[in-house]
Amino acid sequence: MVTYFLNWEVFLKKRHCKVYISPFDVRFPKESHNDKAVFTVLQPDICVICDRSKIDARGCIGAPDIVVEILSPGNTKTELFHKYRVYEEFGVKEYWVVSQSDKSVLIYTLDEMGKFQPSKIFTLSEKISSTVLPGFELALDDVFEDL
C-alpha cells in the first residue's frame, strides 16, 4: 500500500512537493527551529512536504502539508489521539487515517481556526481528493487492490 502512495510523485513534481515514507523523522519545534527547541518527534507512515526549506539531513522540521497514517493492529487509541493532537497543534493541513482492515480513509482537514474537521469515511469505489493538492484524485479501489 505504501508503494501505491509513492505514485503521487508524478502529480507532486509539478507542485514542487515530495513524498517521504517512514522511517523519516518529523520534528515539531515549540518556539524556534533550533534542535534544542524540538518538542516532539514523530515518524508518519507517509508525508507530503511542499516547502522544501523544512527538509534537512535529519528529516523535516515543522508540519508537513499532508500526513498519512496507515493503521495496524499495534496502533492504540492513545497513540492515535496523541498524533492527532500533535498534527493539529502544529498545523498539518491534512491528516489521513487509512484503515487497511476496513479499506477506508478518513481525512481531517485543518480549518481557519486551526482545528481538524473530519471528512466522511471514504470506502471502496470512491475517489478522494485533497484541499492541499487541487486536482489530485485517488481511487480507493486502486489503493486497496492488493489487500
Side-chain angles (χ1 to χ4, degrees), residues 82-94:
H82 170 70
K83 288 180 177 182
Y84 174 96
R85 286 190 354 224
V86 170
Y87 295 149
E88 182 179 65
E89 176 184 351
F90 287 95
V92 171
K93 295 174 187 170
E94 286 184 357

Side-chain angles (χ1 to χ4, degrees), residues 49-119:
I49 301 166
C50 298
D51 180 354
R52 300 280 178 105
S53 71
K54 293 182 177 183
I55 305 300
D56 63 19
R58 297 181 55 212
C60 174
I61 188 138
D65 295 277
I66 299 173
V67 167
V68 179
E69 292 286 358
I70 301 170
L71 301 180
S72 65
N75 293 117
T76 65
K77 289 181 183 178
T78 304
E79 172 192 7
L80 292 172
F81 184 65
H82 170 70
K83 288 180 177 182
Y84 174 96
R85 286 190 354 224
V86 170
Y87 295 149
E88 182 179 65
E89 176 184 351
F90 287 95
V92 171
K93 295 174 187 170
E94 286 184 357
Y95 171 34
W96 296 23
V97 180
V98 179
S99 173
Q100 297 178 83
S101 61
D102 295 340
K103 296 184 179 179
S104 67
V105 177
L106 175 64
I107 300 173
Y108 293 98
T109 303
L110 203 65
D111 68 15
E112 60 280 346
M113 302 296 290
K115 298 294 180 193
F116 277 142
Q117 298 301 317
S119 68

Side-chain angles (χ1 to χ4, degrees), residues 117-140:
Q117 298 301 317
S119 68
K120 72 179 210 72
I121 295 175
F122 294 95
T123 59
L124 292 175
S125 78
E126 293 185 283
K127 291 183 180 180
I128 55 177
S129 59
S130 167
T131 58
V132 174
L133 303 170
F136 178 77
E137 279 194 340
L138 186 63
L140 292 186

